[in-house]
Amino acid sequence: MSSEIPLNQPVHLKRITLGAALFLLLLGLVIGGFMLYRNMLVEDMQHKQALYRNLVELKGKVAGFEKNRELSSRDDDATIKVMQFMLDEVLESAAIAGKPDIPGVLIRKRNDRGYFSAANREVFLLALDNSTRKADKELQGALDASVWVSNVFVMTLSLLVAGFVIAAWRRFYIIYTMTLIPLSRLSGKVSLINKNIPESIHDTADDIRNDLALTPHSWEISRITDTMVDFCRDIEAKNKKLDELYIRDEKTNLYNYRHFKEHLIMEIERSKRLDDKVSIAMIDIDHFKHYNDENGHVAGDQVLEQLAGIIGTTCRTSDMPSRFGGEEFAVLFPRTGIDTSMQISDRLRMIISAEPVAHEKKQPGGRLTVSIGIATFPDDAQDWYTLVNNADRALYHAKSAGRNNVCAFSAIKSGDEGK
C-alpha cells in the first residue's frame, strides 16, 4: 500500500473530521436500509408462514373428517362449520400474504357444504395438497431471501468497517512515517543548536534539510523544516555579526588582539604537529606621538584607519592583520618562513611610505612611515609569548636603526652571537 501524499498540500483536520462524519452517516444509512428491508422480509415470511400453517391445519381437519363415522349428523354439521371457518382463515391469510392465488379452487367452494362430503373429500385434499406445496415453496423462498439479505448485510457491514479500519490505519501510518518520525529526527537535530552554538549552527541547518530530504514527509513537516532552517540561518547571520564585533577592532576594523592571540596559539600548535613554520610582523607608526601632538587625536585616528586599510589590502587572504594596541599593528603569517614574511612586510613598508597622508609634511623627514619587526617559529621562539616578544625586540631594533625599515629577529640574534 502506498503511503505517499501530496507534499505541497497540508493535511486539514477539518477534512479528516468531515470524511469521518460522512463515513459514519453512510454507515448509518446502510445499516438503517438493511434493517428496514430485512424487517419487511421477516414480516412477509411470517405472513406466508401463517398461510402455510393454516393450510396444514385445514388439511389435517379434512383428512380426519371421514374417520369419525360414529359421529352424529349434528356433529358433522359442527365439523363442517369448523372447516369452513378454517378455510376462511386460509383465504384471509393468503390475502394478507399477497398470494391470493395459492388457495386456487378453494375460493370457489368456501360456501359449498357438499365440498366437504366423502365424495369430494379426495378432490378437496388434492387441492389442499397443491395449495400447501405452493405455500411451502413461497415460505422457503421468503426464508432464503431473509437469510441472503442477512448475509449481504453482514458482509457489507464488514467491508465498510474493514475499509474504515484500513483507511484509519493508512492515515495513522502516513502520520507516523511522514510526520512523527521526521518530527522526532527534526527535534534531535534542533537539540544540537542549543549545544553547539555557534560552532555548528550552519552544519545543523544543512543536516536538518538533508536528513529530511532522504525520507518522505508531510507538507507540515516541510513547513516546520523550512522554518527551522530559516531560524538557523538567522542565528548564523546574527552570530557572524556578533563574531565580527567580538573579533574586530572597532576603530580600524582589523582583527583585535584577542583574536590575533587565539589564532597565533593555534597556528603554533599546528606548526608543531606538521613541522611547519609561522611568522609574525609587529608594525609601529614612526613618530606617531608627534603626529598626534601636532594634528590632534582625531587626525591620528584617521591615520590609523588609513593605514589599517593599506595593511588589510596588502596582506594575503591567508594572513591575519590585527591591531595590537595603540599605534601598533601585528600580522600573522601562517605556514610562512622568514623570507616570504620579509618580502611582504617590506612591500607593505614601501606602500605606506609612498601613500599620501594628511599633514605628513610636519613629520620628521616630511612623510609618515612605519617600522616592522619579524620573528619566526620555531627558529626564533618555542612558544607564542616569546615569539611576540622577539618580534617586538626586532621592531625596536628597526626603530633604533633609523626607522622606516624592516628587521628580522634572526638578524639581531646573529649579530649578538657574532659579538
Side-chain angles (χ1 to χ4, degrees), residues 161-301:
V161 173
F164 178 78
V165 171
I166 291 174
W169 178 86
R170 180 178 180 272
R171 176 56 56 184
F172 172 78
Y173 177 80
I174 291 173
I175 293 175
Y176 182 74
T177 57
M178 303 185 73
T179 301
L180 296 181
I181 292 179
L183 189 60
S184 177
R185 293 179 179 175
L186 179 62
S187 64
K189 297 296 182 182
V190 171
S191 65
L192 298 177
I193 297 177
N194 188 44
K195 295 180 180 178
N196 300 325
I197 288 178
E199 288 79 8
S200 64
I201 188 70
H202 180 81
D203 294 337
T204 300
D206 289 340
D207 288 345
I208 289 173
R209 189 182 295 278
N210 295 336
D211 185 57
L212 291 181
L214 299 176
T215 57
H217 52 276
S218 65
W219 180 87
E220 287 81 4
I221 291 297
S222 296
R223 289 291 303 274
I224 295 174
T225 302
D226 292 339
T227 301
M228 292 308 304
V229 169
D230 292 340
F231 173 71
C232 291
R233 301 298 188 206
D234 291 341
I235 292 179
E236 183 182 18
K238 289 179 173 61
N239 282 338
K240 286 183 178 179
K241 292 181 179 179
L242 291 175
D243 287 342
E244 290 297 316
L245 294 175
Y246 180 76
I247 66 177
R248 294 283 181 178
D249 175 66
E250 182 180 2
K251 187 172 293 184
T252 63
N253 201 37
L254 296 179
Y255 293 111
N256 57 29
Y257 169 77
R258 182 193 303 109
H259 193 64
F260 170 81
K261 174 184 172 182
E262 291 175 355
H263 277 263
L264 174 59
I265 294 173
M266 289 189 295
E267 283 298 324
I268 289 178
E269 293 301 321
R270 183 196 60 78
S271 297
K272 289 179 181 179
R273 293 194 306 271
L274 302 179
D275 192 22
D276 204 350
K277 296 182 181 295
V278 57
S279 299
I280 62 172
M282 301 297 293
I283 306 170
D284 189 78
I285 303 175
D286 296 329
H287 302 294
F288 189 65
K289 182 177 185 303
H290 179 271
Y291 188 92
N292 275 334
D293 292 341
E294 289 291 329
N295 306 294
H297 288 281
V298 174
D301 289 343

Side-chain angles (χ1 to χ4, degrees), residues 115-129:
Y115 197 61
F116 299 99
S117 64
N120 295 323
R121 184 174 62 83
E122 293 295 333
V123 176
F124 187 66
L125 285 175
L126 289 174
L128 280 175
D129 284 339

Side-chain angles (χ1 to χ4, degrees), residues 90-142:
V90 167
L91 299 176
E92 184 179 355
S93 60
I96 294 175
K99 297 295 180 180
D101 57 321
I102 287 180
V105 297
L106 300 179
I107 298 176
R108 298 191 297 271
K109 303 296 183 180
R110 64 186 301 176
N111 295 321
D112 187 357
R113 291 173 57 87
Y115 197 61
F116 299 99
S117 64
N120 295 323
R121 184 174 62 83
E122 293 295 333
V123 176
F124 187 66
L125 285 175
L126 289 174
L128 280 175
D129 284 339
N130 185 48
S131 297
T132 302
R133 284 194 299 271
K134 290 181 180 181
D136 181 58
K137 185 177 180 180
E138 290 290 334
L139 177 61
Q140 190 63 41

Side-chain angles (χ1 to χ4, degrees), residues 367-407:
R367 55 181 176 172
L368 190 136
T369 60
V370 295
S371 298
I372 303 175
I374 298 175
T376 301
F377 175 89
D379 300 334
D380 299 331
Q382 297 300 312
D383 56 70
W384 74 271
Y385 182 79
T386 305
L387 188 67
V388 171
N389 283 339
N390 288 342
D392 207 40
R393 288 176 59 187
L395 167 64
Y396 282 100
H397 192 276
K399 283 183 174 293
S400 62
R403 293 182 173 85
N404 191 26
N405 58 43
V406 180
C407 180

